[in-house]
Amino acid sequence: MSRLENENGRPLLTDRIYEEKEEEEAAYEEAEKVHIVRDEYESERDLEYGVGCGGAPPFSWKKLWLFTGPGFLMSIAFLDPGNLEGDLQAGAVAGYSLLWLLMWATAMGLLVQLLSARLGVATGRHLAELCREEYPTWAGRVLWVMAELALIGSDIQEVIGSAIAIQILTNGILPLWGGVVITALDCFVFLFLENYGIRKLEAVFAVLIGTMAVAFAWMFGQTKPSGSELLIGILVPKLSSRTIQKAVGVVGCVIMPHNVFLHSALVQSREIDRKQKYRVQEAINYYSIEATIALTVSFIINLFVTAVFAKGFYNTDIADSIGLVNAGQYLQDKYGGGFFPILYIWGIGLLAAGQSSTITGTYAGQFIMGGFLNFKMKKWLRSLITRSCAIVPTIIVAIVFDKSEGSVDVLNEWLNVLQSIQIPFALIPLLCLVSKEQIMGSFKIGPLYQTTAWLVAALVIMINGYLLHDFFSSAVSGVLYTGFVTVFTASYGSFIVYLIARGINFTPWRSKAELS
């Protein structure tokens, strides 16, 4: 059979698809996937509802349970230590006034994650794989480097957060770098759990999310924030010159680049009959419900943290100086010991957030590396490489920055900037891909959805652009800085324009479902 190629030297259409089936590294092997069991009465119900002839399968709680898991793993990125620090600082500086923004930022994050899940379900491939296929090799490599940098930056924050929690729970006996080493071992825990199946791994994450919910709800109950002020903060938008920077931080830390890649891969852990379009649509529907529930839970947990610090520290002299390192001690000084000291409740919640997010970071790193580079490697080795990329610099950072409370907060600011820079390189390819019929087939998003998604993406990119400008304006000055910023901005903007222009003219491609 002749082998057609596009301008990038890649095989086209059917030749390409069947070659990939044999050679590509899949997100999940068939034996690893969760089988969506059909009960003995489902065929009868399908006939009753006209399924396959234009009708939709009826809702099933059992199926929703089987599809539940990927959305909750994804939601952990909304609860990582970086987000918790943003929550506590927003509460201390702005009180309850930014809760409305937290809610809408979570809604924007949900929209992006629904698009990521839709892409993975409809194509049977995840975002990193599709970026490698649809962009030229040089652009794919740049996107890969950007994704890895975003992941490393996020992982450093998460590991440092875990180390701070371990330091709290050991009464300061362990130094920060010691907590980093302990946290590094979760890579091996992850590998151990993965051998027992994806559902077991998802159960562990459910326990960690439950631990966060209980810990922060307990803090909420102990501090007794004002219910009326909390409700007003959610429903009435307020913004002032004093709170604008924290508002930007609230929005900026919600959408994590590595999480966009992760969710499109996680949804492939379920076995779906892609030859039947209504089954694909059914999976998209269940994943949408599950992701909405998961991010509602994450919003409530974030709300607890913001409200606790709003109640305790808003309009106080120490409001501007609170960060992850000293937050627990400030809570302890304010509210005392009680039956179970609030310092340790905070430490337990922070540890659950840090441990769960570092494991999902390892998971995301596997998919990003495998998808962009397309080489087969044993999972334990890939996890070890992914974890080492973050742990080695984190240990160095922990030793260097373990001198004062403020130094860790400065580090977090730089890491937030690093991740803000990477956001367009996950969002733009995602929006271009889900909008193309050649890639999504009948599951491409419609004009209204496209417009809304692009507006959200533009808003997030502009907000992060403001954050970058504000940070660099105050952090660096001089002729050298001006020249660097000019060159960087021109290169950065040019690549974003290229990604959009290339996305408009993707090589015609059809999903495996349409060609099988």
Side-chain angles (χ1 to χ4, degrees), residues 284-355:
I284 291 173
N285 294 342
Y286 281 118
Y287 280 132
S288 299
I289 295 170
E290 185 234 2
T292 303
I293 294 171
L295 289 193
T296 300
V297 171
S298 78
F299 167 69
I300 293 171
I301 294 174
N302 284 312
L303 182 147
F304 284 158
V305 176
T306 302
V308 165
F309 285 86
K311 166 71 178 195
F313 305 103
Y314 179 54
N315 274 338
T316 63
D317 294 336
I318 61 173
D320 291 313
S321 62
I322 297 178
L324 279 183
V325 175
N326 57 25
Q329 191 57 54
Y330 280 140
L331 285 169
Q332 184 74 5
D333 295 342
K334 179 82 174 181
Y335 296 104
F339 172 71
F340 195 76
I342 198 168
L343 172 65
Y344 298 120
I345 298 171
W346 167 252
I348 290 169
L350 181 59
L351 182 62
Q355 288 295 320

Side-chain angles (χ1 to χ4, degrees), residues 53-67:
C53 302
F59 177 80
S60 165
W61 286 104
K62 181 179 180 180
K63 277 195 175 180
L64 177 60
W65 171 248
L66 290 172
F67 278 105

Side-chain angles (χ1 to χ4, degrees), residues 189-487:
V189 174
F190 161 72
L191 292 171
F192 175 76
L193 292 172
E194 196 176 25
N195 289 332
Y196 286 89
I198 185 66
R199 294 295 274 177
K200 301 292 190 306
L201 185 64
E202 290 168 352
V204 171
F205 283 107
V207 170
L208 291 170
I209 293 173
T211 301
M212 281 185 268
V214 171
F216 297 134
W218 190 328
M219 288 170 50
F220 185 85
Q222 281 197 345
T223 56
K224 297 180 175 61
S226 168
S228 59
E229 289 186 61
L230 189 148
L231 192 61
I232 291 171
I234 293 174
L235 299 178
V236 181
K238 291 181 183 178
L239 204 58
S240 67
S241 57
R242 185 170 183 268
T243 61
I244 185 68
Q245 190 172 22
K246 296 305 175 187
V248 170
V250 167
V251 178
C253 66
V254 165
I255 297 177
M256 309 288 282
H258 76 273
N259 208 38
V260 180
F261 288 97
L262 175 64
H263 200 192
S264 64
L266 290 174
V267 294
Q268 294 176 47
S269 61
R270 270 53 177 177
E271 185 182 10
I272 299 168
D273 185 357
R274 300 184 189 281
K275 295 178 181 179
Q276 299 179 341
K277 288 186 177 180
Y278 68 89
R279 292 297 177 199
V280 176
Q281 184 61 57
E282 179 185 47
I284 291 173
N285 294 342
Y286 281 118
Y287 280 132
S288 299
I289 295 170
E290 185 234 2
T292 303
I293 294 171
L295 289 193
T296 300
V297 171
S298 78
F299 167 69
I300 293 171
I301 294 174
N302 284 312
L303 182 147
F304 284 158
V305 176
T306 302
V308 165
F309 285 86
K311 166 71 178 195
F313 305 103
Y314 179 54
N315 274 338
T316 63
D317 294 336
I318 61 173
D320 291 313
S321 62
I322 297 178
L324 279 183
V325 175
N326 57 25
Q329 191 57 54
Y330 280 140
L331 285 169
Q332 184 74 5
D333 295 342
K334 179 82 174 181
Y335 296 104
F339 172 71
F340 195 76
I342 198 168
L343 172 65
Y344 298 120
I345 298 171
W346 167 252
I348 290 169
L350 181 59
L351 182 62
Q355 288 295 320
S356 58
S357 55
T358 54
I359 297 174
T360 54
T362 303
Y363 218 19
Q366 287 189 7
F367 296 128
I368 289 171
M369 182 182 289
F372 275 111
L373 302 184
N374 190 30
F375 59 84
K376 290 181 178 287
M377 180 184 292
K378 291 184 181 297
K379 285 190 174 183
W380 69 267
L381 182 57
R382 188 180 297 171
S383 293
L384 193 60
I385 293 173
T386 304
R387 173 49 77 234
S388 299
C389 288
I391 289 298
V392 172
T394 304
I395 292 175
I396 296 171
V397 162
I399 293 172
V400 172
F401 284 84
D402 193 17
K403 296 177 181 177
S404 68
E405 295 177 355
S407 62
V408 176
D409 293 332
V410 171
L411 169 66
N412 274 326
E413 288 181 10
W414 278 96
L415 293 175
N416 286 335
V417 168
L418 175 65
Q419 291 178 79
S420 296
I421 291 172
Q422 317 304 330
I423 283 178
F425 307 129
L427 275 184
I428 291 173
L430 173 67
L431 296 184
C432 290
L433 287 163
V434 296
S435 302
K436 300 297 286 186
E437 187 174 1
Q438 299 98 318
I439 292 166
M440 298 289 290
S442 60
F443 298 103
K444 74 166 188 174
I445 58 175
L448 179 60
Y449 204 167
Q450 283 186 43
T451 302
T452 304
W454 278 105
L455 286 174
V456 167
L459 178 62
V460 171
I461 291 171
M462 285 191 295
I463 287 173
N464 280 279
Y466 172 86
L467 176 65
L468 294 176
H469 174 75
D470 182 68
F471 178 80
F472 282 117
S473 296
S474 59
V476 189
S477 60
V479 177
L480 185 62
Y481 160 71
T482 303
F484 169 77
V485 168
T486 302
V487 173

Side-chain angles (χ1 to χ4, degrees), residues 18-86:
Y18 287 105
E19 182 178 306
E20 285 168 353
K21 281 183 178 180
E22 295 176 0
E23 295 180 1
E24 277 197 353
E25 173 77 355
Y28 294 91
E29 301 296 335
E30 288 302 319
E32 296 176 311
K33 294 184 178 181
V34 176
H35 179 61
I36 305 300
V37 180
R38 300 181 65 191
D39 61 42
E40 56 182 321
Y41 302 108
E42 187 161 353
S43 296
E44 295 177 11
R45 290 199 301 272
D46 285 353
L47 288 173
E48 180 183 349
Y49 284 87
V51 174
C53 302
F59 177 80
S60 165
W61 286 104
K62 181 179 180 180
K63 277 195 175 180
L64 177 60
W65 171 248
L66 290 172
F67 278 105
T68 296
F72 281 90
L73 266 68
M74 167 275 294
S75 73
I76 286 167
F78 290 70
L79 297 167
D80 70 357
N83 276 276
L84 296 183
E85 183 167 42

